[in-house]
Amino acid sequence: MPLTGHDCTVPALLIDTQAPLDVLHDAAVHRIQVVTQLLENLAFREQLSSDAVVLSDFAHLLAIPLRDGCDLLDVISRRLNADPN
C-alpha cells in the first residue's frame, strides 16, 4: 500500500500490508514516538522564536512520520477487523 503522505502517480514508498502485526505496530510506534518526543522537547523550551517559513517547514517535517504512523495504524486496524478470531 502506498504511503498517503506523498501524492504521486508511481509510489516509491510502500507499506507491506501482509507484514506481521507486531512489525507494523513497532514501525507505527517508532514514528509517532519520534514526533511526540520532539514536540514535547519544544513545548518545554522557554523561548522559541522563528519565522513563519521555518515553522511551516518544521511542521511539514513532523507531519511526514506522523502520517506514516497513521497509515501503519490504519493497516493494523483493517487487518484486526478482518480477523475472525
Side-chain angles (χ1 to χ4, degrees), residues 6-83:
H6 185 237
D7 189 27
C8 64
T9 56
V10 180
L13 298 174
L14 305 167
I15 296 173
D16 179 358
T17 59
Q18 298 305 310
L21 289 176
D22 63 318
V23 172
L24 293 170
H25 183 263
D26 184 59
V29 166
H30 177 72
R31 283 157 177 75
I32 293 168
Q33 284 179 341
V34 165
V35 172
T36 302
Q37 184 66 46
L38 191 57
L39 287 171
E40 286 174 347
N41 286 339
L42 287 173
F44 292 119
R45 294 185 72 128
E46 290 188 21
Q47 285 188 341
L48 181 65
S49 61
S50 190
D51 61 29
V53 173
V54 171
L55 291 177
S56 175
D57 289 346
F58 188 68
H60 188 233
L61 174 70
L62 293 177
I64 292 168
L66 191 55
R67 170 54 49 208
D68 293 354
C70 289
D71 287 348
L72 287 159
L73 290 175
D74 182 53
V75 171
I76 292 168
S77 177
R78 284 189 275 136
R79 292 256 312 269
L80 289 173
N81 288 331
D83 189 1

